[in-house]
Amino acid sequence: MISKAKLVLFTLIYLLGGSIFLHFFYLKDWNHSIFEIAFNFGDVVENIIKHNKFEGKYADNIDIDFRAHRLPAIPYFIAYLSIIFGTQKILFVTLLKNLIFSLLWIPFLHEGINKRNIKPIFKVIIAGFLLSFPQLFLHGLQIDLEEAYIIPILAYYWFLVTNDKPFTKWQQAYFIVLPSLLFFSKNTFLYIIPILSVIILITDRKKTKFIIASLLLLVISAFSLASFNQKNSGKFTLKYSLEWFNIYKGNNERTAKLYPKYSLDILDFEDYYKIPYSIKNEWEFNELFKEKTVTYFENHQKEIVELLPTKILTIWFDIRPNGIFPGFEKNLTTPLKILGMAYMLVFRLLQWFCLVYLFLLLLGKNRKYHASLSLKYISLIGLYFIPYTIAFGFERHLLPVIIPTLLTLIKIMEDRQASRN
């Protein structure tokens, strides 16, 4: 085990040095403005800073102002970092973001790997695999991807979920707060966290009062989001106004020809959707695509069934990079992409080892002893993957469950070692 001081220094070098490398040499956008960041964040951040309003466009060919198409936490976080520190340069705001998130990376690496009761060589291998994972490095340190926020939050939360030892005061606080941070990063956690919490309540009674506190905070967070949506978009809801649009994007006549190799955003640029002039606001937009989705499911059941194996393969098994635009096919075979596939292969093997091993433990004689970890991990993977299987998902969407898989592997190793002693 290395000292915590050395680990802190190493982690800061990884996060901050990695951010500089990423924006100088890989993305080459170090001098760009945060108003230019992708995934509908840039224009929302600009409107927050310049006009004090949460609003943005989805695409140039969709003439609707969206005010509930993104969870507000990440855009406001980026905007206030910019305001407080007086910079709009993407590199400096990214450095600030990753410095703040070191408050999760450091305890996760120290408590989740460095202090664990496994052989030192295994700690080195797991930490080295994690920190050199190309996709985690390239996506996890960015500023405009939801996954870049979910990865460290879910990593430390998962360590706490699977930790059998009594919590310290700081760990108690993290355990209560992190579920709400996950929800504010991606609203699918609004149903993942309660279901997972019920499993923890049943199988891990020591955490009961902390689970109840975390759920109460989650209820307050959910009410706050619904109130924000009502004030901002006129509807008291936890839904986002691109919900059915994204489901339809993964279930239409063109999906099978594009997915998963090509980005479904191609359909945006081709003006495939042809929004009627009668659609005046984002909730009418959402309702339109709900109707289109239902109609497609009713009339194209054969195509849906035929595409389902591809969706399952992509989300549950695939190791290939995907989601490119036409003309960039050569990018799929670069040395970096090939290296990434090798890492994804290892992750998939570990993912399925953990799933199968833990499922078999549920069938064994000591199922009560193993039920907690088994049900937690199987539920996490299932609940996280199912929405992407129904709609669509690409490689980057899978990244948040890589670290929980490694932590689950460590817990399996600890339990096996304890059973031999």
Side-chain angles (χ1 to χ4, degrees), residues 155-211:
Y156 192 47
Y157 180 65
W158 192 251
F159 161 71
L160 296 174
V161 165
T162 57
N163 181 29
D164 292 333
K165 298 177 181 177
F167 286 161
T168 65
K169 295 293 184 182
W170 277 109
Q171 288 175 336
Q172 292 174 14
Y174 272 117
F175 188 82
I176 292 169
V177 171
L178 291 181
S180 291
L181 292 185
L182 285 170
F183 165 63
F184 280 127
S185 301
K186 198 172 191 69
N187 52 11
T188 51
F189 281 100
L190 184 63
Y191 77 86
I192 293 176
I193 294 297
I195 295 173
L196 192 58
S197 297
V198 171
I199 292 170
I200 298 170
L201 280 172
I202 295 171
T203 64
D204 198 349
R205 297 295 178 85
K206 298 190 295 289
K207 297 184 173 74
T208 297
K209 63 180 180 180
F210 306 121
I211 283 290

Side-chain angles (χ1 to χ4, degrees), residues 111-137:
E111 299 165 24
I113 298 178
N114 192 38
K115 291 177 67 177
R116 301 299 286 271
N117 189 29
I118 58 175
K119 294 180 179 180
I121 186 63
F122 293 143
K123 296 179 185 179
V124 172
I125 292 172
I126 292 171
F129 175 75
L130 163 65
L131 296 175
S132 63
F133 205 118
Q135 291 92 325
L136 282 177
F137 177 81

